[in-house]
Amino acid sequence: MREFHVAILACGSSFYEGPCVSLVVPTVDGLYGIQAGHSNLITAIRPGPLSYTVPDQPKRMAAVSSGLLKVEGGRVLVLVDTAERPEDIDMNRALQDAAAAKEALLQKRSMQEYHTAQASLSRALNRLRVKNHAGQ
């Protein structure tokens, strides 16, 4: 398979930068795949599992938060608030975060607090999905 250059940046630091043969990102329209020669594109990323394949290595996964995907001139830029490898995810903490977010959703609070709790729950569940999928 042909390669392309990808830069996955989380909070200004480089999560991964280098050659890639395929990339799948969670967008607002569902999972979106990128390979070499993809047309130019800009789209929003939603929290979910991101997977990418480095040449001659198995597929890698990450739990990502919301952000932006840009494909231009054969180069791909992924900008997200957070990106975590499965081995870096603390299962107990993610379970506690999910429980706390569910409890916050049940409380009668402002719309701002409700949306914050929804985002926290989404992030915690995403981290658990990626951790479980990787079998860590």
Side-chain angles (χ1 to χ4, degrees):
M1 293 184 99
R2 292 185 357 200
E3 299 176 13
F4 59 95
H5 182 270
V6 66
I8 303 171
L9 305 176
C11 287
S13 65
S14 180
F15 178 81
Y16 174 77
E17 188 166 355
C20 188
V21 292
S22 72
L23 171 71
V24 177
V25 295
T27 70
V28 294
D29 295 321
L31 294 176
Y32 199 88
I34 307 287
Q35 292 185 328
H38 197 284
S39 59
N40 293 348
L41 165 79
I42 294 178
T43 191
I45 294 175
R46 67 168 178 79
L50 175 144
S51 65
Y52 59 104
T53 305
V54 174
D56 303 319
Q57 293 188 18
K59 178 172 66 170
R60 300 176 183 183
M61 291 196 66
V64 297
S65 61
S66 59
L68 179 75
L69 169 71
K70 177 182 171 188
V71 180
E72 183 176 38
R75 297 176 69 86
V76 177
L77 176 62
V78 176
L79 296 172
V80 290
D81 291 327
T82 61
E84 295 178 277
R85 292 174 179 82
E87 60 270 17
D88 296 335
I89 296 172
D90 181 339
M91 181 74 96
N92 290 329
R93 183 173 149 225
L95 287 168
Q96 290 172 351
D97 291 347
K102 287 178 184 177
E103 180 61 31
L105 284 172
L106 296 174
Q107 303 299 317
K108 303 242 186 240
R109 297 191 174 159
S110 71
M111 287 305 291
Q112 170 87 20
E113 290 171 322
Y114 178 80
H115 290 298
T116 299
Q118 276 187 319
S120 294
L121 179 59
S122 176
R123 180 171 183 257
L125 293 176
N126 175 45
R127 294 172 73 226
L128 289 168
R129 272 192 302 273
V130 168
K131 181 76 169 179
N132 287 330
H133 180 72
Q136 298 287 325

